[in-house]
Amino acid sequence: MRELRNYYSSDYNLLFKKYASLSQIIFGVLALAASSQLSIPLKPVPITFLTMMVSMIGLVYKPYLAFATVGIYLICGICGLPVFSKYNYGIEYVMGATGGYLVGCMITAPIISIIKNRPLLKLYFCGQFVRRCSAQIRNKLRVRSGFEYPLSYKFTHISESNISQKFWPVAFCCFIGHIIIYFFGITWLSQFMSLNNAIYNGFIVFIPSGIVKIVIFSYLFSYTKSKAQI
């Protein structure tokens, strides 16, 4: 009887994991489609929030789930569902100027998922460096002020928070992801124009918006993660 119960229990757990993975993929595809519609129209490649959602999927999902989610998103668009920017769809859109960025997203998501748990690759020492610098500043202010509670006391709580510990790894993962996406995007875009124009129109014009998106997303993600204690 116990063996029979264990047998059905294992089957139930396996079925639950399969449905959980399927629901993650469906939610990820819908989120990618929604983020693609939030765009700033530029030529030849618009600015969208798709890269941020790809980073989110890479940071939350396992590598195989991240790859499958972005891959199914591309397949849905190729098959005729309006999931790309401005509700575009079809193989013609994927083979167009933005195709390299879409392929880069599919490769970036599992790579971010792989490196997110590698402390050395995430440059964890950046967080340590920031905390040490803030500690030295507090000590100097404590000595100069001559009070038991230094003037920098209000900054103590912030530096002791683990938000900074999580911000730098997240920002590093997003930075690596964007480099991969831009590499594939520029390589693909160079087939439609000269390499210099592809670098300018496909990378340089996106640098300011990319930095702003990475900083805001990394802070919000690290803040939410620290509050949820994930």
Side-chain angles (χ1 to χ4, degrees):
M1 187 65 180
R2 181 180 299 177
E3 294 179 356
L4 184 62
R5 185 165 56 252
N6 293 335
Y7 174 78
Y8 283 109
S9 178
S10 62
D11 284 349
Y12 175 79
N13 292 333
L14 182 61
L15 185 64
F16 176 78
K17 290 180 180 180
K18 288 182 179 180
Y19 278 109
S21 299
L22 181 61
S23 61
Q24 283 183 296
I25 292 175
I26 294 174
F27 177 80
V29 171
L30 293 176
L32 289 170
S35 64
S36 297
Q37 310 313 320
L38 302 174
S39 63
I40 300 175
L42 289 179
K43 296 292 184 179
V45 181
I47 298 176
T48 68
F49 288 87
L50 177 65
T51 56
M52 292 293 95
M53 189 54 61
V54 170
S55 301
M56 171 75 77
I57 290 173
L59 291 168
V60 175
Y61 288 12
K62 294 181 180 180
Y64 72 93
L65 277 179
F67 179 80
T69 300
V70 183
I72 293 175
Y73 164 75
L74 296 181
I75 293 174
C76 290
I78 293 173
C79 292
L81 295 178
V83 295
F84 298 138
S85 178
K86 292 185 177 180
Y87 301 101
N88 284 298
Y89 57 89
I91 187 65
E92 296 83 5
Y93 184 85
V94 176
M95 298 301 296
T98 60
Y101 296 93
L102 297 175
V103 174
C105 288
M106 185 173 61
I107 298 174
T108 294
I111 290 179
I112 291 178
S113 181
I114 291 172
I115 69 175
K116 66 183 179 182
N117 293 322
R118 304 297 189 272
L120 292 179
L121 293 178
K122 292 187 302 181
L123 289 183
Y124 177 76
F125 65 86
C126 288
Q128 296 285 352
F129 175 76
V130 171
R131 289 194 298 276
R132 289 176 182 176
C133 289
S134 62
Q136 291 179 0
I137 293 174
R138 291 200 308 273
N139 291 333
K140 290 181 180 180
L141 291 176
R142 182 182 294 110
V143 172
R144 292 181 181 180
S145 61
F147 295 101
E148 181 179 359
Y149 297 99
L151 298 177
S152 61
Y153 174 76
K154 63 180 181 179
F155 298 103
T156 304
H157 177 70
I158 298 177
S159 62
E160 290 177 353
S161 173
N162 57 359
I163 296 177
S164 62
Q165 289 181 269
K166 302 178 185 299
F167 174 84
W168 293 105
V170 172
F172 178 74
C173 289
C174 293
F175 174 77
I176 294 297
H178 277 69
I179 292 298
I180 297 173
I181 293 173
Y182 285 131
F183 172 78
F184 282 92
I186 292 172
T187 303
W188 190 288
L189 193 60
S190 63
Q191 306 300 318
F192 298 87
M193 59 183 68
S194 65
L195 180 60
N196 291 333
N197 289 333
I199 293 174
Y200 177 79
N201 294 308
F203 174 65
I204 294 179
V205 296
F206 294 126
I207 291 178
S209 62
I211 293 175
V212 171
K213 287 192 296 184
I214 289 175
V215 171
I216 294 176
F217 171 80
S218 300
Y219 178 79
L220 292 177
F221 185 86
S222 58
Y223 178 82
T224 304
K225 192 173 182 180
S226 64
K227 290 298 182 180
Q229 295 297 323
I230 300 178

